[in-house]
Amino acid sequence: MGRYDELMSLSLRKGFLIPSAEIYGGLAGFYEYGHNGARLLRKWEDLWIEYFLGLGENYHLIDSSSVLPYSALEASGHVDLFTDILIYCTKCKEAHRADQLIEAVTGTSGEGMDAAQVKDAIMDNDVRCQRCGGTLGEPVPFNIMFPLSIGPRGEEKAFLRPETAQGAYLSFPREFEILRKRLPLGLAIVGRVYRNEISPRQGTYRMREFHQAELQIFFDPETFERGLDLREVEDVSLRVVREEDRERVAERTVIELLDEGDLPAFYLYHLAKVQEFYLDALQVPQDAFRLYELNQAERAFYNRIHFDVQVRMDSLGGFREVGGVHYRTDYDLTRHAEHSKKRMEVFHQGRRFIPEVLELSFGIDRNIWALLDLDYDIGKKAVLHIPVRLAPFTCAVFPLLNRGGLPEMARRVYREIRRWFDTLYDDSGSIGRRYARMDEIGTPYCLTVDHESLEAEDLTLRERDSTDQVRVSVGELRPTLTRLLEGSIRFENLQVGG
RNA sequence: GCGGCCGUAGUCUAGCGGUCAGGACCGAGGCUUCCCAAGCCUCUAGCCCGGGUUCGAAUCCCGGCGGCCGCACCA
């Protein structure tokens, strides 16, 4: 079995993923999270929120609608720019993008044409299939957004949101006002988005309904950098792949990159923070992480600077995008100002301007897939070495034996600590089998009540990654697990007992 | 969306016109053992869906759905 199949098999078997509407044969591009996957998803989101809201004093979580009116997405550019006119060859079935086809034949841009114009252009120039010379069919518009009709007669046109970012832009004026007109202002949204992908594939890597976590930082370009503690990151070595050298990761410190002059300090600061999130919080190995710069042709026209966050996924053949750091300038707010006729200018420190936006954007599902890929060690026994904070369950309680009062004590401990930690109870099978079950879903700590426990009012605490054990008194359990969870103590530094 | 390959218990897989559709792992119950998937016994559970061909279809044909790969697409 290949790595992809191994991971998918485990994900299905252990309650991480479920194909949507599975009993009806499934629905391409949609997956659900099972009982372990849902916890992992939640915990990833919690960790993301904690980390990224922590980047600023004025950064906040909001929650916005999945349905947006036509007008808002017209303003954002999604209606026009995400519509491609496709033409299929009637002979070889090859799909062509009309704008590219027309440009190739006539030398003039076919961008912005509607289907009728495309058809005329095709006829006038006798355009034929670029591959086989066959006759071309009818041009068909394709937009990646899911259209909706609202109301009893469907008179209101709308779309499911293709990104969470728009919610932040739409709420910016009110939040800016309520938050006392301070900049920078960060608005984070974590939620589901929808794109009608032509060919969803590769598990949860490309879905039609997926989760995004995005932070939009609205800032004053003249003062943003003054508020950032650049010294904190200046010696951080960033793992970047620059536009000029796609062949290798260049390890360059923030200071070095700053000296080169083409990337502003505020941007480098946030690249460093994103890297820190991956290396420290998510514990992604250094060599599995990189920041990949997109060139002008690859990035959206409104992005002045764009690095993709990439993580190596062996199941998908190498480095793949899991997020992006986008300097969107004032494009979004300017567009919404023009279309809504609402004032997006702010008066800040004596000047009037439209704030610029730095977007930190992450696809949650592909991040989770990447973590499973990096952390699933499938040897003789499968062990998910996921960070403690992300594990679906933090601990499990077992009686060593199913008699002699051990189950009673184990259940007592279980009922107590499940109030504080995500905890499982298991008394089925041998003790080794129970440890193995927990390893497979990444539970970092197992607590076993044995003979001595009854007398000493303690139990053994076993760590997933080392399989080492220490004795901990029942009274010390909560503070000990709390410290392990928050990382203020390491397992190997616990007093070895028993 | 096009093309290729594929679809058998929860997972992996054997069977490829007539089989009680076989096995392994997981899971459940029992005996036993007790700190890393021990052993033994028992059990649950399957041919993606719909048509067709045939005396008879998991097996052949058609359509659908789904998966992987390639092409295209990925703001």
Side-chain angles (χ1 to χ4, degrees), chain A residues 399 402 425-431 433-434 437:
Chain A
N402 274 314
Y425 178 83
D426 190 3
D427 59 11
S428 158
S430 70
I431 190 70
R433 179 175 294 269
R434 286 176 249 161
R437 283 187 192 122

Side-chain angles (χ1 to χ4, degrees), chain A residues 32-209:
Chain A
E32 295 164 10
Y33 287 94
H35 65 284
N36 285 319
R39 286 174 178 272
L40 175 51
L41 175 70
R42 277 267 168 123
K43 291 187 177 192
W44 192 96
E45 291 174 350
D46 288 346
L47 187 62
W48 185 90
I49 289 167
E50 178 183 310
Y51 183 87
F52 284 97
L53 291 191
L55 294 184
E57 296 172 4
N58 192 32
Y59 290 8
H60 305 275
L61 185 68
I62 63 173
D63 192 52
S64 58
S65 175
S66 293
V67 176
L68 291 175
Y70 189 93
S71 53
L73 289 160
E74 186 178 38
S76 69
H78 288 81
V79 172
D80 292 336
L81 298 172
F82 301 167
T83 300
D84 288 329
I85 309 258
L86 297 180
I87 303 176
Y88 294 93
C89 171
T90 55
K91 193 170 151 204
C92 72
K93 309 295 184 193
E94 177 85 353
H96 301 279
R97 271 179 55 182
D99 57 332
Q100 292 175 353
L101 207 55
I102 289 166
E103 184 160 355
V105 173
T106 67
T108 58
S109 172
E111 233 182 292
M113 286 186 179
D114 63 24
Q117 292 171 310
V118 166
K119 195 175 175 184
D120 290 345
I122 300 283
M123 301 288 272
D124 293 350
N125 294 286
D126 192 30
V127 181
R128 305 188 73 83
C129 176
Q130 299 279 287
R131 195 170 74 168
C132 75
T135 313
L136 296 170
E138 286 288 309
V140 284
F142 177 79
N143 188 292
I144 202 168
M145 293 192 292
F146 286 103
L148 291 174
S149 300
I150 299 175
R153 281 197 285 272
E155 51 277 274
E156 176 85 5
K157 285 166 73 185
F159 294 100
L160 288 173
R161 63 179 175 188
E163 61 175 14
T164 60
Q166 296 305 321
Y169 308 142
L170 300 176
S171 293
F172 171 76
R174 181 177 286 276
E175 288 288 357
F176 180 69
E177 173 73 24
I178 300 168
L179 288 164
R180 309 200 315 275
K181 304 182 179 180
R182 288 178 293 161
L183 292 178
L185 164 64
L187 294 178
I189 300 174
V190 176
R192 293 174 188 265
V193 300
Y194 305 83
R195 298 180 192 182
N196 195 5
E197 294 285 353
I198 295 174
S199 179
R201 223 176 263 185
Q202 297 178 312
T204 60
Y205 186 80
R206 189 192 293 174
M207 294 196 287
R208 289 180 166 140
E209 176 184 31

Side-chain angles (χ1 to χ4, degrees), chain A residues 366-398:
Chain A
R366 42 178 69 175
N367 269 277
I368 285 173
W369 180 266
L371 285 178
L372 290 176
D373 196 339
L374 289 167
D375 292 341
Y376 243 126
D377 177 11
I378 304 174
K380 191 167 170 55
K381 287 198 274 185
V383 183
L384 178 60
H385 298 282
I386 196 122
V388 174
R389 291 254 333 245
L390 295 179
F393 288 92
T394 305
C395 51
V397 184
F398 311 139

Side-chain angles (χ1 to χ4, degrees), chain A residues 241-269:
Chain A
V241 176
R242 295 306 305 268
E243 178 182 340
E244 328 59 92
D245 184 3
R246 286 289 171 79
E247 299 308 309
R248 64 180 61 80
V249 172
E251 296 242 22
R252 313 295 307 282
T253 65
V254 169
I255 281 282
E256 286 168 344
L257 288 164
L258 200 52
D259 285 345
E260 289 174 19
D262 58 333
L263 296 172
F266 79 83
Y267 192 87
L268 289 166
Y269 176 85

